Amino acid sequence: MRTTRANRFGLAITGLILFLGGLTAAVRGAAFVPHHLGAAHVPVIGRFVRAFADAHLWFWIALAAFAVSIAVLALSWLGAQARRPTLRTIRVEPDTRHGATTLSAHAVTDALEEDLNADPYVRRATAGLTGSRARPHLLLGVTVDPDADPVAARSSIHEAVARARRALGNDDQPATVRIRVSR
């Protein structure tokens, strides 16, 4: 949820800046207020600004630092889009009035990975839990051997997920399984 809120805020600010820039360009191009924004036929960057930039090295250093900081900010935003927040613990007891029983999410995912990696059809398995502590969602990535029987591999993955659901005491545990064939 934190990433969604940050996305909305960042996109709203970026949209506002771009909207104001476009509005300013349209007002200048239509020559509505030439005494404030300049005439439509005059270059946007006049001789004074060009001379100032040529005479001051710090201007270019500041501009480069600004561009690098924008690039770093954009890359960190892009990295945040790819990250999925994983749970550290999950709540086993559905009704908190009777107590709060928690379980390490790594205990569940490690057990499921070990279960699947012991399967002869599976070359590699990774598991993670996302969502909320009360309603976790299981994400499973399984790479099977190229010569594996697809029906048998799917069946063994299904059985491993069913065992994990039984261990959690939730037969309706949502799960997303991505099966890949190794090369």
Side-chain angles (χ1 to χ4, degrees), residues 4-181:
T4 304
R5 196 172 320 135
N7 279 344
R8 286 186 191 139
F9 179 74
L11 290 174
I13 295 297
T14 303
L16 182 64
I17 290 170
L18 292 174
F19 174 74
L20 291 175
L23 185 64
T24 303
V27 167
R28 183 169 196 251
F32 285 137
V33 282
H35 55 281
H36 286 298
L37 298 175
H41 65 279
V42 177
V44 175
I45 298 176
R47 285 186 200 150
F48 173 74
V49 175
R50 286 192 302 254
F52 178 82
D54 286 341
H56 296 92
L57 178 64
W58 65 265
F59 173 79
W60 296 109
I61 294 171
L63 187 64
F66 178 73
V68 167
S69 64
I70 292 294
V72 167
L73 190 64
L75 287 173
S76 67
W77 175 79
L78 190 61
Q81 303 311 306
R83 260 191 315 268
R84 279 190 176 242
T86 57
L87 296 174
R88 293 180 188 265
T89 60
I90 58 173
R91 199 168 36 218
V92 179
E93 180 65 41
D95 189 3
T96 56
R97 291 179 294 170
H98 299 292
T101 305
T102 59
L103 177 64
S104 167
H106 286 293
V108 175
T109 56
D110 289 349
L112 184 56
E113 287 174 4
E114 284 180 27
D115 188 10
L116 283 168
N117 285 326
D119 191 289
Y121 300 114
V122 174
R123 181 168 285 182
R124 182 169 183 261
T126 59
L129 286 168
T130 63
S132 69
R133 288 176 51 183
R135 284 286 296 159
H137 185 93
L138 177 65
L139 296 175
L140 191 60
V142 181
T143 304
V144 296
D145 286 324
D147 56 344
D149 179 17
V151 175
R154 183 186 176 280
S155 175
S156 65
I157 294 168
H158 179 75
E159 290 169 8
V161 171
R163 284 191 294 275
R165 286 177 172 158
R166 280 194 304 275
L168 291 173
N170 184 2
D171 290 336
D172 298 327
Q173 174 73 45
T176 301
V177 181
R178 293 201 173 112
I179 302 173
R180 296 177 191 87
V181 177

